[in-house]
């Protein structure tokens, strides 16, 4: 049952195996490409008496033999040669770089190559850096997708060429030579054939390339000034933006205010849907692991428990669960846990009374035909249902609802200043669409830049 969602799983049938199995489980989870390991200990085993032998050796000869070796210097030199020959290079950086933020920043400092990150890679390169193109892909920025489309060299570090990034795979980075560095051999060449591939830890690869650059004269000759200027022009021409309507609260605006009031320092967790994409687009992530999202697993309800974990692990840091009403309802019972544990988790619900992302697809591709995507009470559409403020009070958590744009700034400020858990229910229009948008299976030229459900 758990095979498809774990890296490995154990069923312990001998009590004496527990010390070895637990040691192996932590080693497997944290080495190579990290992933979850399940250890299933049946009740009869749990209740047996045993004298544990703590230093039992691990027994993983096959796995250890297959772990990637450090990258070969000649391959790293080949990558730097390609960089030297290119005129329009782009770094495409994903979740695999979560442990190598410093090395990545140093590499960019020395080369001047612009950086775009995947949904999983947000924060691995600071979003406010002049060389950041922010997120690419289906709901990425125009300039990030433009850069990849026009690039002559794509440096793909710790990424998997997921369909939400590439769209139509043949049209993705079609003018570019591709360098793919990934720790997981299964990812290399899976979706897109690279010209140079290195199966290794990207941290070691970046350290190696940085050392070669520091020791060489070639970095003096790297000058991508005209390419940077071309992309800066795209940034000015096609910034992220949205229309405003009287005193309606635009969800993008609410996130921008949150970004401003937290100075872009908060840890953000999300559910799945439009709120997740707006949180990715309009909050500025400056460091790895500042953004917590279920990404390709699409797990609605992920936001609140993830935020709780982040709050426990990072005392003193503001943690905000930016959630949608649909996702929040999936794990709303965890309000009890954040209250009892007194965790300073701020639940920031963008409540549009709909499954917004599906509504957007219905609006765009199915003539706005609604199929179970309205989440309110059809008997009385003017009242907000369910009433999250009342529910939160039942859990003894302070909660406030805002319906006007003019109230947003003060309400978010109060949320951030209130100690412990807090729920802010922000009523937003369901007609709003996440833009830009490249339809599924589309290419850069198919990008949609305007329109909504109105």
């Amino acid at each position: 049952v758990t095979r498809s969602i774990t890296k490995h799983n154990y069923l312990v049938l001998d009590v004496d195996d527990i010390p070895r199995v637990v040691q192996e489980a932590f080693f497997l989870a944290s080495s190579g490409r990290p992933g979850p390991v399940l250890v299933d200990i049946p009740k009869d085993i749990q209740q047996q008496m045993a004298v544990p032998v703590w230093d039992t050796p691990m027994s993983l000869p096959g796995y250890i033999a297959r772990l990637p070796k450090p990258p070969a210097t000649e391959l790293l030199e080949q990558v730097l040669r390609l960089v030297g020959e290119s005129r329009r290079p782009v770094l495409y950086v994903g979740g695999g770089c979560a442990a190598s933020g410093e090395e990545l920043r140093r590499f960019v400092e020395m080369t001047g190559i612009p950086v775009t990150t995947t949904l999983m890679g947000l924060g691995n390169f600071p979003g406010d850096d002049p060389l950041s193109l922010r997120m690419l892909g289906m709901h990425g920025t125009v300039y990030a997708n433009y850069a990849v489309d026009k690039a002559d060299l794509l440096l793909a570090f710790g990424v998997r060429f997921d369909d939400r990034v590439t769209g139509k795979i043949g049209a993705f980075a079609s003018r570019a030579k591709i360098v793919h560095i990934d720790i997981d051999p299964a990812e290399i060449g899976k979706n897109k054939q690279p010209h140079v591939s290195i199966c290794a830890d990207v941290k070691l690869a970046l350290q190696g390339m940085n050392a070669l650059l520091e020791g060489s004269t070639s970095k003096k000759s790297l000058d991508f000034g005209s390419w940077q200027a071309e992309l800066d022009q795209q940034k000015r021409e096609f910034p992220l933006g949205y229309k405003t309507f009287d005193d309606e609260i635009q969800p993008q605006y609410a996130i921008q205010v949150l970004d401003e009031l937290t100075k872009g320092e908060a840890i953000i967790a999300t559910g799945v849907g439009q709120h997740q994409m707006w949180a990715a687009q309009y909050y500025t992530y400056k460091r790895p692991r500042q953004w917590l999202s279920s990404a390709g697993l699409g797990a609605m309800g992920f936001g609140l428990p993830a935020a709780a974990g982040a709050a426990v692990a990072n005392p003193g840091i503001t943690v905000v669960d930016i959630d949608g009403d649909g996702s929040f309802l999936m794990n709303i019972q965890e309000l009890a846990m954040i209250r009892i544990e007194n965790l300073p988790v701020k639940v920031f619900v963008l409540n549009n009374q709909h499954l917004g992302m599906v509504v957007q697809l219905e609006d765009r591709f199915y003539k706005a035909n609604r199929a179970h995507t309205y989440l309110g009470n059809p008997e009385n559409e003017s009242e907000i249902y369910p009433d999250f403020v009342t529910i939160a009070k039942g859990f003894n958590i302070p909660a406030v609802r805002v319906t006007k744009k003019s109230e947003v700034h003060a309400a978010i400020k109060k949320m951030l200043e209130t100690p412990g858990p807090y729920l802010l229910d922000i009523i937003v229009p369901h007609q709003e669409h996440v833009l830009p948008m490249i339809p599924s299976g589309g290419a850069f030229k198919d990008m949609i830049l305007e329109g909504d459900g109105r």
Side-chain angles (χ1 to χ4, degrees), residues 104-353:
L104 179 65
R105 280 201 299 278
R106 183 80 190 106
F107 182 74
V108 173
E109 223 171 88
M110 288 193 282
T111 58
I113 301 174
V115 184
T116 178
T117 59
T118 64
L119 188 70
M120 280 285 287
L122 289 172
N124 294 347
F125 186 76
D128 55 355
D129 188 287
L131 285 173
S132 168
L133 301 168
R134 303 187 76 118
M135 185 171 77
L136 84 163
M138 178 178 261
H139 293 297
T141 62
V142 174
Y143 38 94
N145 289 320
Y146 172 93
V148 171
D149 191 56
K150 296 285 181 280
D152 62 2
L153 177 66
L154 187 69
L155 300 173
F157 292 0
V159 292
R160 61 193 184 103
F161 292 88
D162 176 64
D163 68 290
R164 298 283 133 161
V165 164
T166 63
K168 186 176 175 190
I169 196 93
F172 179 75
S174 53
R175 302 169 172 82
K177 285 187 171 152
I178 295 174
V179 174
H180 194 180
I181 303 180
D182 202 283
I183 201 161
D184 183 354
E187 291 300 346
I188 291 173
K190 182 182 85 173
N191 292 333
K192 190 95 177 159
Q193 212 45 57
H195 298 74
V196 178
S197 62
I198 302 175
C199 183
D201 185 339
V202 73
K203 191 182 184 87
L204 298 177
L206 281 165
Q207 283 168 350
M209 288 189 289
N210 289 348
L212 289 169
L213 283 166
E214 275 155 8
S216 80
T217 51
S218 64
K219 78 162 187 279
K220 315 282 183 293
S221 64
L222 291 178
D223 176 20
F224 301 119
S226 64
W227 174 228
Q228 290 164 5
E230 185 181 334
L231 295 179
D232 285 342
Q233 175 57 32
Q234 288 290 314
K235 284 183 183 180
R236 286 190 296 274
E237 228 172 293
F238 299 103
L240 284 172
Y242 52 91
K243 292 193 176 81
T244 53
F245 299 88
D246 306 328
D247 214 14
E248 270 191 340
I249 302 170
Q250 295 309 106
Q252 304 93 322
Y253 168 76
I255 292 168
Q256 281 177 320
V257 174
L258 179 70
D259 187 33
E260 179 194 320
L261 290 175
T262 56
K263 302 185 176 61
E265 295 296 329
I267 293 174
I268 304 291
T270 72
V272 176
Q274 288 181 315
H275 71 273
Q276 175 191 32
M277 292 299 114
W278 285 317
Q281 291 176 335
Y282 288 92
Y283 198 91
T284 311
Y285 301 93
K286 302 188 179 117
R287 58 183 194 277
R289 303 191 190 285
Q290 188 187 348
W291 158 260
L292 306 172
S293 195
S294 61
L297 295 175
M300 289 175 71
F302 179 87
L304 186 53
V312 171
N314 299 275
I317 292 183
T318 305
V319 181
V320 183
D321 163 30
I322 298 179
D323 229 328
D325 50 322
S327 287
F328 178 49
L329 208 50
M330 298 259 170
N331 266 326
I332 198 166
Q333 77 286 345
E334 298 307 324
L335 289 174
M337 181 259 296
I338 62 172
R339 171 76 286 166
I340 300 303
E341 300 293 340
N342 204 21
L343 299 174
V345 170
K346 313 300 179 194
V347 184
F348 186 91
V349 183
L350 296 174
N351 186 348
N352 63 3
Q353 296 282 285

Side-chain angles (χ1 to χ4, degrees), residues 389-451:
V389 174
T390 304
I391 293 171
K393 294 205 167 119
F395 284 101
N396 195 18
I397 288 175
V400 167
R401 173 179 299 153
V402 289
T403 55
K404 295 190 178 72
K405 188 177 179 176
S406 50
E407 308 166 334
V408 169
H409 197 280
I412 295 178
K413 193 162 180 292
K414 181 159 194 284
M415 171 184 87
L416 295 170
E417 285 167 358
T418 307
Y422 195 96
L423 184 138
L424 185 58
D425 187 19
I426 302 173
I427 308 303
V428 298
H430 72 270
Q431 295 94 337
E432 202 51 41
H433 285 185
V434 179
L435 295 170
M437 177 187 188
I438 298 175
S440 198
F444 175 65
K445 63 174 175 49
D446 305 315
M447 187 181 292
I448 299 167
L449 294 174
E450 54 193 7

